Every structure is written in structure tokens, then in C-alpha cells.
Amino acid sequence: MIPVKEAKSIIHKHILLSGTETVLLKDAGNRILAQDIIATFPMPSFDNSAMDGFAVRAVDTKGTDQSLPVTLKMVGVSSAGSPGDITLGPGECAQCMTGAIIPNGADAIAMVEDTSGFSDTDSVQIFQEAKIGKHIRKKGEEIQDGDVLISKGTHITPNEIGTLATFGYGEISVAQKPRIAIFGTGDELVEPGIELKPGQIYNSNLYIFAELAEKSGAEVIMRDVIKDDRKPLRAFLSKALKTCDMVISSGGVSMGRFDYVRDVLMELGVQEHFWKVAQKPGKPFFFGTGESTLIFGLPGNPVSSYIGFMEWVWPVLDVMMGKPEQNFLTGILKVSFPREKVKCRFLFGKAWMEDGKLVCKPSSKMGSHMLSSSLEANCILGSETGESSLQPGEEIRINVLPWKNIK
Ligand code: AMP
Ligand code: MG
């Protein structure tokens, strides 16, 4: 049994970075950016109007108000998308719509509400003095040419998609999705939807793995539930080792008589780096490597499998795709947390804000077979080893489940 820290550093030495590929912007959501995005033009890219109204020379509107409007001669219409070939002389104005180029010579926009309106096409009365620069969005006021907009390694969400579109990226370079094989083992496992016979249980873990893999940005290309039998196990694994960047299994790596996963992996030439880790749940945790495949053998108990994926596999997928290291939060325990003498302890938990502080509590269902402990959870709480339980008021590490919120 090796300590968690040591196991992490062993895994890190074997991570291979994903390649890159080009995708259309419409397909870029939830991918990881593989290039820095640099502004190739300023934003706004030209002076333009922030309001529907009239482009004027501020000096021509000086002293004007409701009782003493100034009348300006209209010399054109600048609409959004029009090329902006209008020039104003003294006493002249042009209709100018939101987003349209500011005509030459104009230095302010009088919004239409402060004028006699758009109906007369020869002249307009202005009812309010326009100050220089009023309602004009200046070229470059938001972004300068050459600014770094989005850094390589950023997870592409709606926040990034909009800016990529704004700067004209029709396609972008992203990390290739790690190709993953997931499998469960056990004669007792039955697919949801089918009636159970005595002694059988439903396969939950592969559904969890598939969902987690997709959320992490990876792609499941092989998936199967395999009986406790060496032959089908061997067939699945030998194909997975040839075609996948990562193999993740649940079950069949403990001390049971029918736990064949480790044996078969070794027979197929996988190099074992460790098998047992000082953690609870999930001590019988196997990590090995094939030629260019990482193999994570997680124990079958559903909580061990789920937490194992989030604590061990998810961070590795992040690194493979070039995401920056994850930052954990620290919260204050509202109830005690059962620390272990020689093992790190993980439990599903709930974190929330209370009087401006981040507080948390572990699920009261502590068994590694009790998957309903995840239902109320928005995080995984993790403690280092320790002689006694952590007490209410003490701090603990919070691994927020990325698709959950803290309220
Ligand atoms: P194992 O690691 O194979 O000894 O399995 C440990 C426990 O997890 C046993 O009670 C199994 O029935 C259960 N288990 C294994 N795989 C799954 C699965 N895919 N879904 C739900 N429970 C499972
Ligand atoms: Mg089993």
C-alpha cells in the first residue's frame, strides 16, 4: 500500500499529452483550447454609435435645449453595416444607427429621443446639447490589437464561445478528446431495465463513468460489462490497449477469488506501477501503463468507483488536455469528519455559504456501497491521515463537483 501523494506523483510521470485537432466553432463547446487566442484587430474595430440617433458636431449643438432647438441639415444615413462614406460640415448631421460608423467630422451622437425624429429626411431639430464623445463607442476601447484574449488550456464555455465568434474564429485548435475504454466486471451485474434474479444487482458504475468521462471532455469509445471470466476480459483489454489512451475499470481488482483484472492486464504486458493506495474508500486501486495507455483499475463499490474517478482520473484527463492544475477549496466542518490513521479519507459532502463563510459536512451514509450518499452532495471532502476525527470548526479540503453549485 503506498501513500496517496506517492501514487499521484507516479501517475503524473506517465501522463502523455493529447494531440490537437481543428474544430468548427459551433462544435467547440466543452473542448479545451490548444492555442492562445490573440486579438488580430481592436474592439470595437471602428468608432461607432451606441444609440439610434444623429451624428453631429458637438459644437453645432452648444446651448441648445427644449425651448431653443437647433436645426441641422441632414446629409445622409449611416446604418449598421454601411461603409461610412459620409462627411459632416458645419451645421450638418446624419442619421446614425446603433453600431453604424460615425461619419467623418462628427464627434457626438444625439439620441433620437432628444430630437424631432427620423421622419423628416432633410433636417432635424436637436433638443439637447450633445457633448463631445457622447454615445460614441471608440475604436479599441474594449480590446487592443494584440491583446491575449483567451489562454491555451481554457475550457471552452459560453463565455469563451462568444468572444471567439466576435473575433471571427470560424475554427479553432483544441485538444483531442482522450479515447477511453470503460468496463465493469462481475457475474452479478445486470443492466438497468432488466428484471433482477436473486443475488444480482444493477450495473451503476459504467453509467457513472460514461457520464463523468463525457463531462470531463473525454470520449468513451469502448464500453462493456464483462463476466468474471478471463477470456472475454482478455479480448476486451487487448483491443482497448491498442485503441485507447486510457482504460478505466470498476471491480475485479480486489482480493476476491474471481478478481481477474490485474492478472489479465499483466498477461497482456501491462506494467503495474501500484496496486493498493492508502485511501478509504478505494484501497485496491490499480495503476498501470501499456505502450501508450494509462490503466486505472478502480474498485467495484460504487462510491469507491465514483470518488476514484473524480480524485484520480479526472485530474489526469485535465492534464492530458492541457488544463491548468485544479485548485481545491477549503471549508469549515459543521460536523466531525472521520479521519483515518494511515489512509486519506474521502466522502461525498455538501458545501454551502453561511455567514459569508464556506462550510461543509460529509454525507451521513459512509459505506462505500452507499451510492445514494451522492444524491445530496455537491463535493467530495478529503482529509489527510490523522490520529483522530476532524472536529466541527476545523478545516477540510473540498473538491467541488464541477457541474454542481455552492449556494
Ligand atoms: P469488486 O471490486 O468486484 O469486488 O466489487 C465490489 C462490490 O462492488 C461488489 O459488491 C460488487 O457487486 C459491486 N460492483 C462491482 N461492479 C459494479 C457495478 N458496475 N455497478 C454496481 N456495483 C458494482
Ligand atoms: Mg467483482
Side-chain angles (χ1 to χ4, degrees):
M1 186 165 84
I2 62 168
V4 165
K5 268 205 184 97
E6 192 185 331
K8 292 239 162 188
S9 87
I10 291 172
I11 292 174
H12 272 258
K13 281 185 204 133
H14 292 92
I15 299 177
L16 297 172
L17 298 184
S18 293
T20 63
E21 63 184 351
T22 301
V23 294
L24 294 175
L25 184 59
K26 72 180 178 58
D27 301 322
N30 208 30
R31 302 298 296 267
I32 310 302
L33 199 57
Q35 62 179 119
D36 283 330
I37 299 293
I38 312 287
T40 51
F41 51 83
M43 189 57 60
S45 52
F46 51 89
D47 288 0
N48 70 84
S49 178
M51 289 285 174
D52 293 321
F54 293 83
V56 298
R57 294 151 30 96
V59 63
D60 291 343
T61 68
K62 203 159 171 49
T64 191
D65 65 17
Q66 202 72 32
S67 60
L68 199 67
V70 65
T71 300
L72 299 176
K73 181 172 173 240
M74 196 131 48
V75 296
V77 180
S78 182
S79 57
S82 67
D85 44 10
I86 301 167
T87 299
L88 304 188
E92 292 180 343
C93 72
Q95 290 184 8
C96 193
M97 307 306 148
T98 304
I101 294 179
I102 302 294
N104 301 314
D107 55 14
I109 296 291
M111 59 181 190
V112 66
E113 292 87 333
D114 296 332
T115 72
S116 55
F118 292 132
S119 50
D120 184 342
T121 52
D122 295 327
S123 67
V124 69
Q125 285 185 306
I126 309 285
F127 298 129
Q128 210 181 73
E129 201 173 295
K131 295 268 185 297
I132 288 182
K134 193 73 184 165
H135 302 315
I136 292 181
R137 303 161 172 168
K138 294 298 282 179
K139 176 177 176 175
E141 71 178 16
E142 181 190 355
I143 304 281
Q144 304 283 308
D145 190 358
D147 280 357
V148 178
L149 294 171
I150 312 173
S151 303
K152 187 174 163 172
T154 301
H155 181 195
I156 301 171
T157 71
N159 303 38
E160 287 74 30
I161 287 276
T163 294
L164 288 163
T166 302
F167 282 85
Y169 286 86
E171 47 185 40
I172 48 165
S173 174
V174 297
Q176 278 172 346
K177 293 181 177 190
R179 287 160 305 163
I180 299 191
I182 55 176
F183 71 98
T185 57
D187 289 348
E188 73 279 29
L189 299 176
V190 172
E191 284 304 286
I194 294 172
E195 207 174 321
L196 290 177
K197 297 204 178 87
Q200 295 184 326
I201 59 163
Y202 288 119
N203 157 37
S204 56
N205 296 354
L206 281 204
Y207 289 85
I208 300 171
F209 282 180
E211 199 62 22
L212 295 178
E214 205 244 34
K215 286 213 182 311
S216 72
E219 188 177 12
V220 173
I221 62 166
M222 285 180 69
R223 165 183 182 155
D224 211 352
V225 175
I226 302 170
K227 297 277 175 218
D228 290 317
D229 181 355
R230 288 170 192 267
K231 210 170 155 206
L233 203 50
R234 181 179 254 279
F236 182 92
L237 280 173
S238 60
K239 184 170 173 207
L241 290 171
K242 286 189 199 106
T243 52
C244 295
D245 304 308
M246 189 184 279
V247 175
I248 310 164
S249 67
S250 102
V253 283
S254 303
M255 303 297 289
R257 205 178 132 194
F258 307 107
D259 288 342
Y260 298 132
V261 173
R262 192 167 157 254
D263 285 355
V264 173
L265 284 168
M266 311 287 234
E267 281 166 28
L268 291 170
V270 165
Q271 193 188 346
E272 174 178 291
H273 298 291
F274 57 78
W275 176 33
K276 288 182 183 155
V277 174
Q279 61 175 357
K280 185 175 174 181
K283 184 177 98 173
F285 165 33
F286 173 95
F287 174 68
T289 48
E291 241 166 71
S292 60
T293 311
L294 305 184
I295 299 111
F296 293 89
L298 300 171
N301 272 311
V303 174
S304 318
S305 265
Y306 188 155
I307 290 184
F309 193 115
M310 290 313 297
E311 288 290 328
W312 296 94
V313 179
W314 185 287
V316 170
L317 291 169
D318 277 356
V319 174
M320 285 172 82
M321 290 184 281
K323 267 173 116 176
E325 287 270 339
Q326 180 181 18
N327 276 325
F328 293 113
L329 299 175
T330 301
I332 300 164
L333 281 164
K334 293 293 282 184
V335 300
S336 65
F337 186 94
R339 229 165 18 166
E340 294 275 318
K341 283 198 179 70
V342 289
K343 293 181 195 163
C344 288
R345 182 72 163 115
F346 300 107
L347 284 168
F348 279 115
K350 184 155 186 171
W352 69 99
M353 295 303 294
E354 194 173 281
D355 301 328
K357 292 205 171 96
L358 183 58
V359 298
C360 58
K361 63 171 185 193
S363 168
S364 56
K365 296 175 186 169
M366 298 197 176
S368 61
H369 56 299
M370 298 179 174
L371 188 56
S372 62
S373 62
S374 71
L375 289 178
E376 291 278 291
N378 59 2
C379 63
I380 295 165
L381 301 180
S383 78
E384 300 290 330
T385 57
E387 285 303 313
S388 56
S389 292
L390 287 171
Q391 293 307 306
E394 291 196 85
E395 290 189 334
I396 191 162
R397 192 209 71 169
I398 298 178
N399 182 3
V400 179
L401 299 171
W403 52 92
K404 289 284 189 182
N405 295 317
I406 293 177
K407 290 188 176 137

